[in-house]
Amino acid sequence: MKGTTRLFRFLALAGMLLLVGIVCSTPAVAGPIELTYANFPPAPTFPCVQMERWKVEVEKRTQGKVLVKTFPGGTLLGDKEMMDGVIAGQANIGNLCMAYQPGRFVVTNALGLHLGITSSRVGSLVLWDLYTKYKPEEFAKVKVLTMFTTAPANIMSTKPVRTLADIQGMDLRASGGAAEVLKAWGANPVGMPMPATPEALQKGVVKGLISSLEVMKDFKFAEICKYVTMVNTALYPFAVVMNMDTWKSLPPDVQKVMDDLAVEQARWTGEYMDNHVTEAMTWAKETQKVEVIELPAAEKANWDKKLEPLTEKWIAEAKAKGLPAEAILADLREMIARHTK
Ligand code: 3IO
């Protein structure tokens, strides 16, 4: 009787130890690493299109080791809380527009100056070069996965803008560098992130906006804004950032996949944006009867002249933060020339 009890106890203990062993070793071999990726605008817009492309590439290149769960439309983090939300770990990854917190991203917001950048492809590659060269302090708490810009900004409006006189006091929605540009021309910039713009336009709170032109189609602004004035100015810079603890927890081979993807993703997004602007404007002209206004050279020279003080203002702001402002600008001009040719 005693022998049987002992044997039973031994078997029960052995069985339990075996179970504990299985349970404890399982997490190491099972399940992919799941990462949440927050984005602020609606799913069909370009920041989310590039997010889905990044997700597909990462999942493919890590052979399913990583699974990215995307949250478009501000469902996880909204436009202005993106950076702090990622730092706090509310999302593993987030996509932010630097123009929504202009004082916070002084170096990279130089892309919002009037520098003669002609495309999103050039803007995105220049922005990535600028970031990797200067590694601005404001990104020290996160891992930057990629950066990109919009195409140059142009004016979309409900009334035609053909001269500087036409734009005086006009309420136009903008953020960051583009808002400074509008102010310099005498317009009244109304600051708000892109997702708030459809309602502001609908209610007549603003008479138009300044941004890249693919929004004419993606947000259906062409239904309200029947005029586009080509001014090819400020770009909106974006960053995709990862929580630093998340980054440190990733295996080296996964980190390598993401690092290798950074500049490629910037180029891909730039090219996608440039093609999409062309496509959106063809649609706007053909189906929405949008008029595209080209400023005569003499008129354009007046507009450009008004923007010269903005660069000086940026230099002063950057210097006040202890940044090598002139060197940054000289680098920017070299990078623009190199990527434009
Ligand atoms: C933008 C932001 C979200 C979705 C589509 C977009 N196209 C251009 C922008 C730039 C921007 O952030 C803005 O506020 O103009």
Side-chain angles (χ1 to χ4, degrees), residues 154-290:
N154 289 292
I155 299 168
M156 297 157 253
S157 55
T158 55
K159 295 205 172 71
V161 174
R162 300 181 200 279
T163 63
L164 274 175
D166 292 337
I167 204 179
Q168 297 312 299
M170 194 184 253
D171 295 321
L172 296 172
R173 174 266 152 200
S175 287
E180 297 294 316
V181 165
L182 285 183
K183 213 186 297 166
W185 287 334
N188 178 36
V190 183
M192 72 185 78
M194 187 58 88
T197 309
E199 194 183 324
L201 265 175
Q202 221 117 46
K203 289 190 170 162
V205 173
V206 296
K207 302 286 181 280
L209 69 150
I210 183 165
S211 191
S212 51
L213 293 173
E214 94 293 348
V215 295
M216 287 289 276
K217 186 173 186 206
D218 291 353
F219 285 91
K220 301 275 186 302
F221 292 152
E223 290 175 357
I224 299 177
C225 298
K226 296 299 178 188
Y227 301 92
V228 165
T229 304
M230 298 303 291
V231 289
N232 288 319
T233 185
L235 292 80
Y236 286 86
F238 285 69
V240 179
V241 297
M242 179 184 271
N243 176 277
M244 196 56 104
D245 291 335
T246 304
W247 174 252
K248 286 180 178 159
S249 75
L250 295 175
D253 58 328
V254 169
Q255 289 182 336
K256 185 174 181 333
V257 165
M258 291 177 183
D259 274 335
D260 289 350
L261 196 51
V263 68
E264 182 192 318
Q265 183 71 15
R267 187 182 297 109
W268 187 92
T269 306
E271 287 171 357
Y272 168 80
M273 161 66 88
D274 290 330
N275 291 331
H276 198 49
V277 164
T278 306
E279 186 190 320
M281 283 310 292
T282 301
W283 173 84
K285 284 183 276 190
E286 285 177 3
T287 74
Q288 302 295 315
K289 304 281 170 278
V290 167

